[in-house]
Short mmCIF file of all heavy atoms in Angstrom, two decimals:
data_model
loop_
_atom_site.label_atom_id
_atom_site.label_comp_id
_atom_site.label_asym_id
_atom_site.label_seq_id
_atom_site.Cartn_x
_atom_site.Cartn_y
_atom_site.Cartn_z
N LEU A 1 23.38 -31.91 -8.79
CA LEU A 1 23.53 -31.55 -10.22
C LEU A 1 24.96 -31.11 -10.45
O LEU A 1 25.48 -31.45 -11.60
CB LEU A 1 22.48 -30.46 -10.52
CG LEU A 1 22.53 -29.94 -11.95
CD1 LEU A 1 22.25 -31.07 -12.90
CD2 LEU A 1 21.46 -28.87 -12.15
N GLY A 2 25.44 -30.33 -9.62
CA GLY A 2 26.86 -29.83 -9.76
C GLY A 2 27.83 -30.94 -9.94
O GLY A 2 28.71 -30.96 -10.82
N ALA A 3 27.72 -32.04 -9.09
CA ALA A 3 28.62 -33.16 -9.20
C ALA A 3 28.40 -33.87 -10.49
O ALA A 3 29.43 -34.29 -11.18
CB ALA A 3 28.32 -34.16 -8.01
N ALA A 4 27.16 -33.97 -11.03
CA ALA A 4 27.00 -34.60 -12.35
C ALA A 4 27.58 -33.78 -13.42
O ALA A 4 28.18 -34.30 -14.41
CB ALA A 4 25.47 -34.77 -12.55
N LEU A 5 27.39 -32.47 -13.34
CA LEU A 5 27.96 -31.57 -14.34
C LEU A 5 29.51 -31.59 -14.39
O LEU A 5 30.17 -31.63 -15.45
CB LEU A 5 27.54 -30.14 -14.16
CG LEU A 5 26.02 -29.90 -14.41
CD1 LEU A 5 25.62 -28.52 -13.93
CD2 LEU A 5 25.65 -30.06 -15.85
N VAL A 6 30.10 -31.64 -13.22
CA VAL A 6 31.61 -31.69 -13.14
C VAL A 6 32.07 -33.06 -13.69
O VAL A 6 33.02 -33.06 -14.51
CB VAL A 6 32.07 -31.52 -11.71
CG1 VAL A 6 33.56 -31.92 -11.55
CG2 VAL A 6 31.85 -30.04 -11.29
N ALA A 7 31.37 -34.12 -13.42
CA ALA A 7 31.74 -35.39 -13.92
C ALA A 7 31.61 -35.47 -15.46
O ALA A 7 32.51 -36.01 -16.16
CB ALA A 7 30.88 -36.53 -13.34
N THR A 8 30.59 -34.84 -16.00
CA THR A 8 30.35 -34.79 -17.39
C THR A 8 31.47 -33.90 -18.07
O THR A 8 31.96 -34.30 -19.15
CB THR A 8 28.97 -34.20 -17.71
OG1 THR A 8 27.98 -35.07 -17.13
CG2 THR A 8 28.74 -34.14 -19.27
N ALA A 9 31.81 -32.82 -17.50
CA ALA A 9 32.87 -31.94 -17.99
C ALA A 9 34.21 -32.63 -17.98
O ALA A 9 34.98 -32.54 -18.99
CB ALA A 9 32.86 -30.68 -17.20
N ARG A 10 34.45 -33.32 -16.95
CA ARG A 10 35.76 -34.11 -16.89
C ARG A 10 35.80 -35.14 -17.98
O ARG A 10 36.79 -35.38 -18.59
CB ARG A 10 35.89 -34.75 -15.50
CG ARG A 10 36.29 -33.72 -14.44
CD ARG A 10 36.54 -34.36 -13.08
NE ARG A 10 36.87 -33.40 -12.10
CZ ARG A 10 36.67 -33.50 -10.86
NH1 ARG A 10 36.03 -34.60 -10.32
NH2 ARG A 10 37.08 -32.58 -10.03
N ARG A 11 34.69 -35.84 -18.17
CA ARG A 11 34.63 -36.94 -19.22
C ARG A 11 34.85 -36.28 -20.59
O ARG A 11 35.52 -36.83 -21.36
CB ARG A 11 33.32 -37.62 -19.11
CG ARG A 11 33.17 -38.72 -20.10
CD ARG A 11 34.20 -39.85 -19.87
NE ARG A 11 34.04 -40.88 -20.85
CZ ARG A 11 35.01 -41.44 -21.42
NH1 ARG A 11 36.31 -41.14 -21.13
NH2 ARG A 11 34.80 -42.41 -22.39
N GLN A 12 34.27 -35.13 -20.85
CA GLN A 12 34.44 -34.49 -22.12
C GLN A 12 35.92 -34.19 -22.31
O GLN A 12 36.51 -34.46 -23.36
CB GLN A 12 33.65 -33.21 -22.29
CG GLN A 12 33.95 -32.47 -23.59
CD GLN A 12 33.10 -31.27 -23.82
OE1 GLN A 12 31.93 -31.30 -23.64
NE2 GLN A 12 33.71 -30.19 -24.26
N ASN A 13 36.57 -33.70 -21.24
CA ASN A 13 38.06 -33.37 -21.36
C ASN A 13 38.81 -34.67 -21.57
O ASN A 13 39.75 -34.69 -22.42
CB ASN A 13 38.50 -32.74 -20.07
CG ASN A 13 38.05 -31.27 -19.95
OD1 ASN A 13 37.67 -30.66 -20.94
ND2 ASN A 13 38.08 -30.78 -18.74
N GLU A 14 38.49 -35.75 -20.94
CA GLU A 14 39.17 -37.03 -21.08
C GLU A 14 39.06 -37.53 -22.54
O GLU A 14 40.00 -38.19 -23.07
CB GLU A 14 38.61 -38.05 -20.17
CG GLU A 14 38.95 -37.82 -18.70
CD GLU A 14 38.14 -38.72 -17.73
OE1 GLU A 14 37.36 -39.56 -18.21
OE2 GLU A 14 38.29 -38.51 -16.47
N LEU A 15 37.93 -37.32 -23.19
CA LEU A 15 37.66 -37.81 -24.53
C LEU A 15 38.60 -37.10 -25.60
O LEU A 15 38.85 -37.65 -26.63
CB LEU A 15 36.20 -37.70 -24.91
CG LEU A 15 35.27 -38.62 -24.19
CD1 LEU A 15 33.81 -38.26 -24.47
CD2 LEU A 15 35.54 -40.03 -24.59
N GLY A 16 38.99 -35.93 -25.18
CA GLY A 16 39.94 -35.21 -26.10
C GLY A 16 39.25 -34.71 -27.38
O GLY A 16 39.97 -34.54 -28.35
N LEU A 17 38.00 -34.54 -27.36
CA LEU A 17 37.34 -34.04 -28.60
C LEU A 17 37.57 -32.60 -28.87
O LEU A 17 37.30 -32.13 -29.97
CB LEU A 17 35.80 -34.31 -28.48
CG LEU A 17 35.40 -35.77 -28.21
CD1 LEU A 17 33.87 -35.79 -27.95
CD2 LEU A 17 35.69 -36.58 -29.47
N ALA A 18 37.97 -31.89 -27.85
CA ALA A 18 38.19 -30.43 -27.92
C ALA A 18 39.19 -30.00 -26.92
O ALA A 18 39.54 -30.81 -26.07
CB ALA A 18 36.85 -29.70 -27.65
N PRO A 19 39.73 -28.75 -26.99
CA PRO A 19 40.69 -28.35 -26.04
C PRO A 19 39.95 -28.46 -24.66
O PRO A 19 38.79 -28.17 -24.46
CB PRO A 19 40.92 -26.86 -26.40
CG PRO A 19 40.56 -26.78 -27.85
CD PRO A 19 39.48 -27.81 -28.11
N ALA A 20 40.75 -28.81 -23.67
CA ALA A 20 40.16 -29.05 -22.28
C ALA A 20 39.71 -27.68 -21.70
O ALA A 20 40.28 -26.65 -21.97
CB ALA A 20 41.22 -29.62 -21.40
N SER A 21 38.61 -27.74 -20.95
CA SER A 21 38.05 -26.60 -20.27
C SER A 21 38.09 -26.91 -18.78
O SER A 21 37.98 -28.07 -18.37
CB SER A 21 36.61 -26.27 -20.71
OG SER A 21 36.56 -25.91 -22.08
N ASP A 22 38.19 -25.90 -17.97
CA ASP A 22 38.18 -26.11 -16.48
C ASP A 22 36.88 -26.65 -16.02
O ASP A 22 35.83 -26.00 -16.17
CB ASP A 22 38.42 -24.70 -15.85
CG ASP A 22 38.44 -24.76 -14.32
OD1 ASP A 22 38.57 -25.89 -13.76
OD2 ASP A 22 38.34 -23.65 -13.77
N PRO A 23 36.90 -27.90 -15.49
CA PRO A 23 35.68 -28.52 -15.11
C PRO A 23 35.21 -28.20 -13.60
O PRO A 23 34.85 -29.11 -12.92
CB PRO A 23 36.00 -30.00 -15.19
CG PRO A 23 37.43 -30.10 -14.82
CD PRO A 23 38.04 -28.80 -15.28
N THR A 24 35.22 -26.98 -13.25
CA THR A 24 34.82 -26.58 -11.92
C THR A 24 33.60 -25.68 -12.04
O THR A 24 33.34 -25.03 -13.03
CB THR A 24 35.90 -25.89 -11.23
OG1 THR A 24 36.31 -24.70 -11.92
CG2 THR A 24 37.12 -26.73 -10.98
N LEU A 25 32.84 -25.72 -10.98
CA LEU A 25 31.62 -24.86 -10.83
C LEU A 25 32.04 -23.48 -10.61
O LEU A 25 33.07 -23.22 -10.03
CB LEU A 25 30.75 -25.40 -9.79
CG LEU A 25 30.21 -26.82 -9.94
CD1 LEU A 25 29.36 -27.29 -8.76
CD2 LEU A 25 29.40 -26.99 -11.26
N ARG A 26 31.18 -22.46 -10.96
CA ARG A 26 31.41 -21.13 -10.77
C ARG A 26 30.12 -20.40 -10.47
O ARG A 26 29.02 -20.91 -10.85
CB ARG A 26 32.12 -20.50 -12.00
CG ARG A 26 31.39 -20.69 -13.30
CD ARG A 26 32.25 -20.86 -14.52
NE ARG A 26 33.29 -21.81 -14.34
CZ ARG A 26 34.58 -21.57 -14.71
NH1 ARG A 26 34.83 -20.52 -15.38
NH2 ARG A 26 35.45 -22.46 -14.49
N PRO A 27 30.11 -19.23 -9.90
CA PRO A 27 28.92 -18.49 -9.59
C PRO A 27 28.17 -18.14 -10.94
O PRO A 27 28.77 -17.86 -11.97
CB PRO A 27 29.33 -17.23 -8.89
CG PRO A 27 30.74 -17.57 -8.39
CD PRO A 27 31.28 -18.50 -9.33
N TYR A 28 26.82 -18.14 -10.82
CA TYR A 28 25.99 -17.66 -11.92
C TYR A 28 25.84 -16.19 -11.81
O TYR A 28 24.93 -15.70 -11.05
CB TYR A 28 24.69 -18.48 -11.88
CG TYR A 28 23.76 -18.12 -13.09
CD1 TYR A 28 24.13 -18.51 -14.33
CD2 TYR A 28 22.60 -17.37 -12.84
CE1 TYR A 28 23.27 -18.21 -15.37
CE2 TYR A 28 21.74 -17.06 -13.91
CZ TYR A 28 22.14 -17.48 -15.21
OH TYR A 28 21.33 -17.15 -16.28
N PHE A 29 26.61 -15.37 -12.47
CA PHE A 29 26.67 -14.00 -12.40
C PHE A 29 26.67 -13.52 -10.91
O PHE A 29 27.48 -13.98 -10.20
CB PHE A 29 25.47 -13.41 -13.22
CG PHE A 29 25.52 -13.72 -14.63
CD1 PHE A 29 24.73 -14.76 -15.18
CD2 PHE A 29 26.42 -13.10 -15.54
CE1 PHE A 29 24.83 -15.12 -16.51
CE2 PHE A 29 26.45 -13.41 -16.83
CZ PHE A 29 25.72 -14.44 -17.40
N ASP A 30 25.76 -12.70 -10.49
CA ASP A 30 25.79 -12.26 -9.13
C ASP A 30 24.75 -13.04 -8.28
O ASP A 30 24.46 -12.59 -7.14
CB ASP A 30 25.51 -10.76 -9.00
CG ASP A 30 24.13 -10.33 -9.60
OD1 ASP A 30 23.51 -11.17 -10.26
OD2 ASP A 30 23.67 -9.16 -9.36
N ARG A 31 24.25 -14.09 -8.80
CA ARG A 31 23.29 -14.90 -8.02
C ARG A 31 24.00 -15.93 -7.18
O ARG A 31 25.11 -16.37 -7.44
CB ARG A 31 22.34 -15.61 -8.95
CG ARG A 31 21.51 -14.55 -9.77
CD ARG A 31 20.61 -15.22 -10.74
NE ARG A 31 19.91 -14.21 -11.51
CZ ARG A 31 19.13 -14.48 -12.49
NH1 ARG A 31 18.85 -15.74 -12.76
NH2 ARG A 31 18.53 -13.52 -13.14
N PRO A 32 23.34 -16.42 -6.19
CA PRO A 32 23.99 -17.42 -5.22
C PRO A 32 24.00 -18.85 -5.71
O PRO A 32 23.91 -19.77 -4.86
CB PRO A 32 23.24 -17.18 -3.95
CG PRO A 32 21.78 -16.87 -4.42
CD PRO A 32 22.02 -16.05 -5.68
N TYR A 33 24.09 -19.07 -7.01
CA TYR A 33 24.01 -20.41 -7.51
C TYR A 33 25.33 -20.80 -8.18
O TYR A 33 25.92 -19.91 -8.85
CB TYR A 33 22.81 -20.61 -8.47
CG TYR A 33 21.53 -20.11 -7.91
CD1 TYR A 33 20.96 -18.95 -8.32
CD2 TYR A 33 20.92 -20.84 -6.89
CE1 TYR A 33 19.80 -18.47 -7.83
CE2 TYR A 33 19.74 -20.35 -6.30
CZ TYR A 33 19.20 -19.18 -6.74
OH TYR A 33 18.03 -18.77 -6.21
N LEU A 34 25.67 -22.05 -8.16
CA LEU A 34 26.92 -22.48 -8.93
C LEU A 34 26.47 -23.24 -10.15
O LEU A 34 25.54 -24.06 -10.12
CB LEU A 34 27.73 -23.38 -7.96
CG LEU A 34 28.32 -22.75 -6.72
CD1 LEU A 34 29.04 -23.75 -5.89
CD2 LEU A 34 29.28 -21.61 -7.19
N VAL A 35 27.22 -22.95 -11.23
CA VAL A 35 26.90 -23.62 -12.52
C VAL A 35 28.22 -24.04 -13.15
O VAL A 35 29.32 -23.58 -12.72
CB VAL A 35 26.20 -22.61 -13.47
CG1 VAL A 35 24.81 -22.25 -12.92
CG2 VAL A 35 26.98 -21.38 -13.75
N ILE A 36 28.19 -24.85 -14.17
CA ILE A 36 29.34 -25.26 -14.85
C ILE A 36 29.86 -24.33 -15.92
O ILE A 36 31.02 -24.27 -16.32
CB ILE A 36 29.19 -26.75 -15.46
CG1 ILE A 36 30.59 -27.34 -15.80
CG2 ILE A 36 28.28 -26.68 -16.67
CD1 ILE A 36 31.37 -27.78 -14.62
N GLY A 37 28.94 -23.43 -16.39
CA GLY A 37 29.28 -22.56 -17.45
C GLY A 37 29.45 -23.40 -18.76
O GLY A 37 30.47 -23.37 -19.40
N ALA A 38 28.38 -24.10 -19.14
CA ALA A 38 28.45 -25.01 -20.28
C ALA A 38 28.77 -24.40 -21.57
O ALA A 38 29.27 -25.05 -22.49
CB ALA A 38 27.12 -25.77 -20.34
N GLY A 39 28.58 -23.08 -21.69
CA GLY A 39 28.94 -22.43 -22.98
C GLY A 39 30.45 -22.59 -23.35
O GLY A 39 30.78 -22.64 -24.48
N ARG A 40 31.31 -22.67 -22.29
CA ARG A 40 32.72 -22.86 -22.50
C ARG A 40 32.96 -24.18 -23.24
O ARG A 40 33.82 -24.31 -24.12
CB ARG A 40 33.48 -22.82 -21.22
CG ARG A 40 33.35 -21.56 -20.44
CD ARG A 40 33.99 -21.59 -19.05
NE ARG A 40 33.35 -22.61 -18.16
CZ ARG A 40 34.04 -23.54 -17.58
NH1 ARG A 40 35.29 -23.72 -17.77
NH2 ARG A 40 33.43 -24.40 -16.79
N PHE A 41 32.24 -25.20 -22.73
CA PHE A 41 32.43 -26.58 -23.32
C PHE A 41 31.84 -26.68 -24.71
O PHE A 41 32.41 -27.23 -25.61
CB PHE A 41 31.85 -27.58 -22.37
CG PHE A 41 32.52 -27.64 -21.10
CD1 PHE A 41 32.13 -26.87 -20.04
CD2 PHE A 41 33.59 -28.54 -20.93
CE1 PHE A 41 32.84 -26.93 -18.82
CE2 PHE A 41 34.30 -28.61 -19.72
CZ PHE A 41 33.91 -27.78 -18.69
N ALA A 42 30.71 -26.01 -24.95
CA ALA A 42 30.13 -25.97 -26.27
C ALA A 42 31.01 -25.26 -27.27
O ALA A 42 31.24 -25.70 -28.36
CB ALA A 42 28.74 -25.33 -26.25
N ALA A 43 31.59 -24.13 -26.78
CA ALA A 43 32.46 -23.36 -27.71
C ALA A 43 33.77 -24.18 -28.00
O ALA A 43 34.20 -24.15 -29.14
CB ALA A 43 32.90 -22.05 -27.02
N ALA A 44 34.29 -24.87 -27.07
CA ALA A 44 35.45 -25.70 -27.34
C ALA A 44 35.10 -26.79 -28.38
O ALA A 44 35.90 -27.06 -29.28
CB ALA A 44 35.96 -26.37 -26.04
N LEU A 45 33.97 -27.46 -28.19
CA LEU A 45 33.57 -28.48 -29.17
C LEU A 45 33.40 -27.87 -30.52
O LEU A 45 33.80 -28.38 -31.53
CB LEU A 45 32.31 -29.19 -28.62
CG LEU A 45 32.47 -30.13 -27.52
CD1 LEU A 45 31.16 -30.59 -26.93
CD2 LEU A 45 33.28 -31.36 -27.92
N ARG A 46 32.70 -26.71 -30.52
CA ARG A 46 32.42 -26.02 -31.82
C ARG A 46 33.74 -25.71 -32.58
O ARG A 46 33.81 -25.86 -33.74
CB ARG A 46 31.63 -24.80 -31.56
CG ARG A 46 31.34 -23.90 -32.73
CD ARG A 46 30.19 -24.46 -33.55
NE ARG A 46 29.96 -23.51 -34.73
CZ ARG A 46 28.89 -23.59 -35.41
NH1 ARG A 46 28.01 -24.50 -35.23
NH2 ARG A 46 28.68 -22.71 -36.41
N SER A 47 34.73 -25.29 -31.81
CA SER A 47 35.92 -24.88 -32.47
C SER A 47 36.71 -26.06 -33.04
O SER A 47 37.65 -25.92 -33.79
CB SER A 47 36.83 -24.16 -31.42
OG SER A 47 37.33 -25.05 -30.46
#
């Protein structure tokens, strides 16, 4: 899932629809899971 999310984030950046966001996974708060932090991408598109 992480690989798919990173690929999607990179594609969004390539399309240039919004300011680019870092397409790397990051910890989900203090839990042992990695997520893309999709809110950053949504906020960039919204802006």
Side-chain angles (χ1 to χ4, degrees):
L1 178 59
L5 293 168
V6 167
T8 302
R10 286 182 178 153
R11 182 64 180 135
Q12 178 175 313
N13 286 341
E14 290 168 4
L15 289 171
L17 300 172
S21 297
D22 178 14
T24 58
L25 300 176
R26 56 213 47 226
Y28 183 68
F29 299 100
D30 62 346
R31 297 179 183 175
Y33 309 109
L34 295 175
V35 298
I36 195 73
R40 301 174 296 122
F41 293 89
L45 287 169
R46 175 79 176 193
S47 73

